[in-house]
Every structure is written in C-alpha cells, then in structure tokens.
Amino acid sequence: MKIEQTVQTTPQAALEITDLGVAYESTWVLDHIDLTVKQGEFIGIIGPNGAGKSTLLKTLAGLIRPSRGEIRFPAARGRRHPVGYVPQRFDLDPDLPLRARDLVGLGLDGHRWGFAWPNAQRGRKIEQALAQVDLTGFADHPAGKLSGGQLQRVLIAQALVSDPELLLLDEPLSSLDLASAQTVVDVVHRVSQNLGVTVLLVTHDMNPLLPVMDRLIYVVNGQAVIGTVDQVVQKDVLDKLYGYDVEVLRLHGRILVVGDETASGDAAGFEHR
Amino acid sequence: MTWYQYIWAPGIWGNPAVHTAWTAGTLVALASGTVGVFVVMRGQSFTGHALGDVGSTGAAGAFLAGVGALWGFLAAGAVTGGSIEWLGRRVRERDIATGVVMAFMLGLSALFLYLVSIYTNASNAPMAILFGSLFTVSPSLQPALLGLSIAALAILALIYRPLLFSTATPEVAQSRGIPVRLVGLAFMLALVVAAEEAALAVGAILSTALLIGPAATAARMARRPGMAVLLAAGLAVGNIWLGILLAYDSYWWPPIHTGWPVSFFVTVVSLGMYAAGGLIQRVRTTVREGGR
Amino acid sequence: MFPPGLFTLQFMQNAWIAGTAIAIIGGIVGFFVVLRGATFVAHAVPRASFAGAAGAAVVGQSSVLGLGTFAVLSALGIASISRERRHGVATALILAAALGLGDLFLTIGHVYAPAVFALLFGQIVGISTHDVRAVLIVSVITVVLFAAAFRPLLLQSVSPHVAEAHGFWTRGLEILFLLLVSGAAAAMVPVVGALLAFSLMVGPAAAGSILGKSPLQALAWSVAFGVLSLWLSVWLAYLTFWPIGFYVSGFCLLFYFAARLIKR
Ligand SMILES: Nc1ncnc2c1ncn2[C@@H]1O[C@H](COP(=O)(O)OP(=O)(O)O)[C@@H](O)[C@H]1O
Ligand SMILES: [Mg+2]
C-alpha cells in the first residue's frame, strides 16, 4: 500500500506522470513521458497530427490503460472523479430527444442506477454549470441542434458538474470559427481561474492559447517536453524533439513552427479528425 | 348491415380471439415501444429487426425438437444477439456482423422449415412461423408474455441512466467508470427479450414495425428522453390497437369474409405515423422560425 | 461426388448459369454495400421485393417483373424517407410495410404455399430457361451501371465530403447505389430466395474487404468468394436436395470467419 505524502509544497501537484508508455498492439505511441502539473495550471498540449496528444488525454481519462509507468492525481484525493473529460468533437443526431440539461445531468449522476427523479437541487446544479459556460437560457435547447461551439461548452459543463480536479479537453477548438473558438478559450480560462480547476487542453494551433496558458506540453512522435512557451518553443528544443531542423518564427505576436510537414503551426490549421 | 360496421364491426368486444390479441398485443407493444427508443438512439435498427427475423429459426428448430416455441425464440435471439455483440465491436463492423450472422440464422431457418415440411404433415407450418397472426395467439401464452415484458422493462429501468449516458457520449461515460460494454450487453438482453417476445406473439414483421415506428416517431417529436420513452410506449399500444380494429373490420371488406392480415395494418400505421411525425415536426419548425 | 445430371440436366445447367451470374453481381454490388456499411439495405431490398412477387402471383404476372418493380420501389422509398445518419429507421419501416403488403397479397390471393416457400428460400430445380434469360438481362444491366458509376461511387463511399466538393450530386449517387442493390436483388431472389439473397451481397464482400489491400483487390476477392460459395452450394444442394439458401449463407459465414482469422 502506498502512503500518500501529506506535507507538500504549495501549490500541490494536480498530476504526476512517471515513465508513462502507451502501446497500440506492438507500436509505442507514447514513450518515457515524465511530467508534473501543478494545481490550477492551464496547460496547452501542442503537437502535429498523430503525435499522440489524444492518446495522452485518453490515458489520463482512463479510457486507455498505460502499458508502462504511473499516473497519479495527488490533489484529487477524496474527489469522486479526478478528471472531467471532453472528447474530440463528434456530431449528435439532430433528432435526439435530449436537451442540453439532460447531457449536463448525466455528468452529475449518469453513473447511478435507475431514473433521475426531478428535484430542485439537481436542476439548480445543472443550471449553475450551464451558467459557468455562458449558456444560461440554453438548458432546454435540443442538444443535437446546438452549434459546434455551444455543444463543446455543454460538454465542458457536463465535465464541470462532477467537480473534477482536472479538466481534459481534446481539440475543443478544431472546426470552430475564430469567434466561437475564442469564446471556448475564454470560458475555459475563466473556469480554471474561478474554480481552481487544472486544465489540459489539446490543440494543434497554440496561438489562441498564448494569452491564457501557463505552460505547454509539446508532443512529437510520442515524446513530450513541458515548460513555458519561452522554454519549449525554441529552435534547439524543438530540433531535438522533431529529430530534424525546424524554424520558430515570431510574427506580430504569433508563433509559427516551420518545417514541421504534418501541421505547420499556422493559424489556418489542419482539419483534425 | 349498416355503414358503420365497416369501421366498427359488430361483436369486436365479445370475440375471444380479439380479446387475446388485444392483451398480447398491448404487452408486446409496451416492451417494444420502450426498448425501441434506445434502439433508434443507438442506431441499432438493423439488429432489432434481425432479432425478430431469426425468431423463425428458433420456432422451426423448436418445432423439430418438440420443445415449446418460446424456448426456440429465446435461444435464437440469445445466439444472434450474443454473436453480434461479440463480433461487432465497432459500429460499422456491427452491421456487417449482424448481416452475416443473420444470414446464417435464416439459412438454418430454411433448412429447418424444409425438414419440417418433409418429416411432418404440417405443410402450413412454414407460413404460420414466418408470418404468424395475432389472432391465433394462444391465451395460455399470456403469462409468459407478461413476464417477458416485465423483464425487459425492469432491465431498462435499472440501467436507464448509464444507458443514456453511454448512448449520448460513450467516451465520457467510460471516463466516468461506467462499464460501457457491459451496459450495452445488458441493453442487448432487454432487446432480445422484447424482440423475441414480439416475434413469438405477433410475428417477425410486426416485431420490426412495433420496435422502430413508434420509437422513431417519438424520438423525433419529444424533446426529453423520458418523454420520448412514454410517448413511444403510448404510440406502440395505439398502433397495435388500431391495427387490430382495422383487421377485424376488414372481415366485411372485399374480398368479403376473408379478412386482411393484421400485419398489413400495423405496418402501414407504423410507417404512416413516422411520416406524419416528420410532417408535424416540419410544420412546427416553420411556424417557430416564421414567428421570429 | 458428382452424381449424374449435375451438369447435363437442363435445369441444372440453368442453375449453374444463373447462379454464376448472380454470384458475380452479388460480389460487385456487395463491395459497395460493405464499403458504405449498408448491410441493412442489402437485406431489406430483396426481402421487400418478395411482396412484389406475391403481388405478381395474385394478378398472374411474371414474378421477375413483380420482384423488379418492388425492388426499385422499396429502394426509392428508403431514399425518400431517409434522414442523414438515420437510414436504419427508414429501411426498417419500408421493409416492414412491404412485408405487410406481401402478407396481404398472400392472404387475399390464396397463393400456393410451396411457391411462396421457393420464393423465400430459393430452389435450384425451379429455374426455367425463361428465368435464366431474365436473370442474365438484369445482371448485364447491373454490371453496366456498376462499371459506369464505379469511380464516383467509390469516391463518395470513401470520402463523402471530397465527393461533394467535386460537385457530385450526393443524393443522386445514393439513389444510384440503391438501384444497383435493387438490380442485384431482382436477379438473385428467383435463385436463392428473398430471405437469403443478401448473404451473397454481404459475406463475400465483407471477407474481401478484410483481405484486399486496395479497392480492386477487395473487389476481386469478393467476386471470387461469391462465385466459389455459389458453386459449392449448387453442388451440395443437388446432392442433398436441401434448400440452396442454407448452403449459400453457410459458406458466406465461413469465408467471413476465415478472412477475420487470417487477418488476425
Ligand atoms: N486505436 C488505435 N489503434 C492503433 N493505433 C492508433 C489508435 N489510435 C491512434 N493510433 C495511432 O497512434 C498515434 C497517435 O494518435 P493520436 O493520439 O490520435 O494523435 P494526435 O491526437 O496527436 O493526432 C497515431 O499514429 C495513430 O495512428
Ligand atoms: Mg487527436
């Protein structure tokens, strides 16, 4: 039995990953990942297509069992759900008899047996969660008819309502127009500040996150480094990660990683599926 | 002979066959309508239809083996449902697995029915097994139907929330520790019970019509999941009642004293209900958008 | 092994010719059925066309005519009430309605039961020279349609968005695909029966798509498996007089399992 450390330097670690390795069949998709995330940090997970970003997030969410290594959530002791997971964008059937309220409600008590009997407290919690993502008044909207950005925010509310220590978001900005993407970034940032939730947000374009993220995890070919933008997005660091020469350009406050043939970090981005 | 007996034929209340059909049909409709909502939401229409269809294999097999038809139906359903769950983990794979498994079960059915027609004198057994009529349901079947309907509804009530969660956002549900595959398996069990019960009592054709038509209509019209379930159950019961009524009336329609089959009426009402639901929905959206 | 008459009897020659033709079109149409995940449609269209044959029997018309008419009508019916991502519901409801109609025809038309049994489960001894001609004509039309539409259909099945961007008419291609399925259905039902025709459109093609590394390879495997299972089935059905549909569906399942095992 492991004895948890009770005395820690503040802020406490929200996530500790040691020597993590994940393999699909016989190929290692993630290898030797070591990193620690502090409580309340806003972390961007950046990297080209197929780098292993979704795999990392799914492993943290408990959807994939690590082949090696350890994942711990020291700060989440006592909470029922250490993580709230928001999956990569998917389409809901527009005819689904499901309201935004029902989706959020499932985040609250979807793991319980039987039906959810309506009660005022439950309704209040759901509406509160929707208010946190700026969707007051959308509670009774059909879930399948929400726009991409709205559905993304409902799923964030669904994750928040279970009071998680970590919020994991997989490509929440892909296939959104600039304004909706900005709304999602703002909402997540505010939530992390107000509720003290630790955020791990995957994106192939780091620029929308530059003003809000504390540090980033840069993933290439199953390897990852963590640090601030200035520490990580450097030619020498990235050359080593990619294994060949790349250029880092800073233009008008934007950052472009050139030479990465899978996903140049330009704003147009790539359709990521 | 008055005009209204074409619509409300005399003696419908006193007729024992109609009475049995009424009870059996209602029990079946309650289970099918309710389970159907999740079938439609999960995109499992093909599986639902296949389970009803393979009932004929079980029926013919049971006839050959000399055991009760109910066991044949349930066995065929369990084998088919189990194989589909086992072979088809991913959605696209699932429909292919359903097709291949179902084809084989129907092939077996062909063989069994052929053997039935060769080794027994029941030359009409194949037709009865394939098309079955609600008016020939034996009253002794009623307790079994009641038990099966209760079983299907009980499973559904028990797993209601995890099932809804795994249906709407499967990955999130799994990240919450919900055993999504196990929930899917439990739902498959409820589906097997509902579909085989329906295939036994009202035939494979009606099984599909009652499972999909009312549920798809309700899913389209209702906004909240609980409402969709209640509406589907109500529509399914209404569907079978209307079918029985029209079939009874048709005794007086041409060719007179033949009677049109219940399955014809139930399937037509089921399809019509879905089309009407679509129309109402379109009118509602137009009105709402016009008002803005 | 090879009892007398297997190749010399007139109706057996008919069975070999018609059987080979439907196995080939089953394999090629099945290629798209599997690629598009449209197994339910492949099951529903031949099954629904059974009602047409029953109706034709009532009014005294040729059953192939009835089959063809209902195959096309059910395909168009499915296309017209289908909604995006909910083809299953439309297919199920059109199928149920067609079967209800078939039941009605059988009831008021007093159709002879063995004839119905043959239509449902297929019977190789029943194939007349007239049937062979009809099957061949429908098969040729289906093959020509298939060849003409191969590339747009392939593109649309694999990446619908790209096809749309190229200006292909999505709904038109969908209807074209459904017409291919109805053509195959009309040709198959007289030989292997309404219940089992779809096994030739699913099993061989599914096995082929598992083994083939490119579309053309998958297509070739699909046709090869289809023809092989049909030939074995005709032979065994002649030996045992059991319904041919039983053997066809059995071999299709066998090839599918074999392909999955090999791939693993
Ligand atoms: N279920 C799977 N089975 C096998 N390989 C997979 C699976 N999912 C992802 N991969 C592979 O793992 C690698 C990382 O994928 P992913 O984590 O989705 O990358 P990212 O999200 O960074 O684009 C890719 O090469 C991908 O092809
Ligand atoms: Mg990804």
Side-chain angles (χ1 to χ4, degrees), chain A residues 24 29 48-55 272:
Chain A
Y24 287 121
V29 176
N49 278 337
K53 306 183 296 292
S54 294
T55 304
H272 183 104

Side-chain angles (χ1 to χ4, degrees), chain B residues 59-193:
Chain B
F63 193 86
L64 277 179
V67 297
L70 178 62
W71 301 114
F73 275 95
L74 290 179
V79 167
T80 308
S83 321
I84 292 170
E85 276 289 309
W86 172 56
L87 285 172
R89 304 207 165 183
R90 270 165 287 161
V91 175
R92 231 175 61 82
E93 237 174 41
R94 195 182 60 201
D95 270 8
I96 290 170
T98 305
V100 179
V101 171
M102 176 194 193
F104 180 66
M105 293 298 281
L106 290 178
L108 267 187
S109 172
L111 178 62
F112 289 168
L113 289 175
Y114 171 76
L115 295 178
V116 167
S117 70
I118 287 207
Y119 295 120
T120 70
N121 287 327
S123 71
N124 240 346
M127 288 306 105
I129 286 170
L130 281 170
F131 289 102
S133 169
L134 194 51
F135 288 132
T136 58
V137 175
S138 150
S140 63
L141 213 53
Q142 283 172 5
L145 294 182
L146 180 65
L148 291 173
S149 285
I150 291 178
L153 292 178
I155 295 174
L156 220 53
L158 192 66
I159 63 171
Y160 184 81
R161 266 184 288 184
L163 180 61
L164 200 58
F165 205 171
S166 337
T167 302
T169 49
E171 286 191 312
V172 181
Q174 202 186 339
S175 82
R176 280 305 169 69
I178 289 172
V180 172
R181 268 188 72 81
L182 213 61
V183 170
L185 204 62
F187 174 67
M188 182 61 102
L189 191 63
L191 177 55
V192 165
V193 169

